[in-house]
Amino acid sequence: MSTNQNEVSKSQKPKSALPPGSQAPDFTLPATPDQKISLSDFRGRPVILAFYPADWSPVCGDQMSLYNEVLPEFKRFNAELLGISVDGAWCHSAYRQNRNLHFSLLSDFEPKGEVARDYGVYRKSEGVCERALFVIDGNGRIAWSYVSPIAVNPGADGILKALENLSAKEEPADGNQPGRHADAAGR
């Protein structure tokens, strides 16, 4: 197999995303041409990171539109959704407005793909992000991660299941509110 064919084969294999249990690398990225968002801004609540290859591509458009529709379900778990690609902030701004998206799109533009690299989901040969999802808990740890084939919309079921699992872990087993202790009669 020639070097070029070998490189193409490697680029088509899903990358090794950071696994559950890993500390999520913090970052600060542009959300608009003049505003930045940091992952640490959301400490104490779940965050969904949706890495995607590019604004304006058909599969990405379907995926981001689906998440926009499912946003109330994500909010039910007090989760924040952040879309991330290597497109510039101006491109994201136009795309977000055109698609009427109600969540932030972050620009991993310069240095290109730095955050995607930190999460193990950068496709160097194409210069884009993998189609990858991460659910991060309120302590900044990855609770769930998934890399979809780049041409396949991964949907929202995995995200919702991960948020349900996180929610179940946070609820006290005895039904008491955190910080309250029941007496012997359960009061």
Side-chain angles (χ1 to χ4, degrees):
M1 182 179 275
S2 75
T3 304
N4 288 345
Q5 288 174 327
N6 199 16
E7 286 176 19
V8 170
S9 294
K10 286 181 184 175
S11 74
Q12 292 173 347
K13 293 178 185 172
K15 302 295 187 235
S16 179
L18 289 178
S22 302
Q23 186 64 36
D26 196 16
F27 58 79
T28 300
L29 291 173
T32 68
D34 61 351
Q35 294 177 319
K36 294 185 177 200
I37 290 179
S38 297
L39 178 60
S40 58
D41 294 343
F42 304 102
R43 190 73 69 190
R45 59 191 282 208
V47 176
I48 304 156
L49 300 181
F51 287 89
Y52 64 101
D55 293 340
W56 310 105
S57 73
V59 177
C60 296
D62 291 346
Q63 181 184 7
M64 295 303 115
S65 293
L66 171 66
Y67 295 164
N68 202 49
E69 289 177 34
V70 180
L71 202 55
E73 286 298 307
F74 296 158
K75 296 288 185 186
R76 191 170 58 89
F77 293 99
N78 196 30
E80 188 70 28
L81 171 63
L82 302 172
I84 302 175
S85 83
V86 297
D87 291 307
W90 289 105
C91 186
H92 277 336
S93 184
Y95 183 67
R96 189 170 180 256
Q97 182 178 0
N98 178 273
R99 291 287 187 153
N100 196 29
L101 300 177
H102 299 288
F103 57 92
S104 296
L105 300 178
L106 305 183
S107 175
D108 194 11
F109 184 72
E110 189 59 43
K112 189 173 185 180
E114 181 177 50
V115 173
R117 290 175 214 269
D118 289 346
Y119 280 80
V121 295
Y122 184 70
R123 293 172 75 108
K124 185 178 179 183
S125 62
E126 291 113 312
V128 299
C129 302
E130 290 283 353
R131 190 173 309 285
L133 301 169
F134 295 86
V135 173
I136 300 168
D137 70 18
N139 296 317
R141 295 197 88 59
I142 296 170
W144 177 79
S145 63
Y146 176 73
V147 178
S148 176
I150 204 156
V152 176
N153 179 345
D157 291 344
I159 296 169
L160 291 168
K161 181 73 173 160
L163 291 171
E164 287 170 7
N165 290 342
L166 265 182
S167 181
K169 287 180 185 174
E170 293 172 0
E171 292 175 10
D174 61 6
N176 288 322
Q177 292 183 5
R180 286 189 59 205
H181 301 284
D183 62 17
R187 297 177 282 195

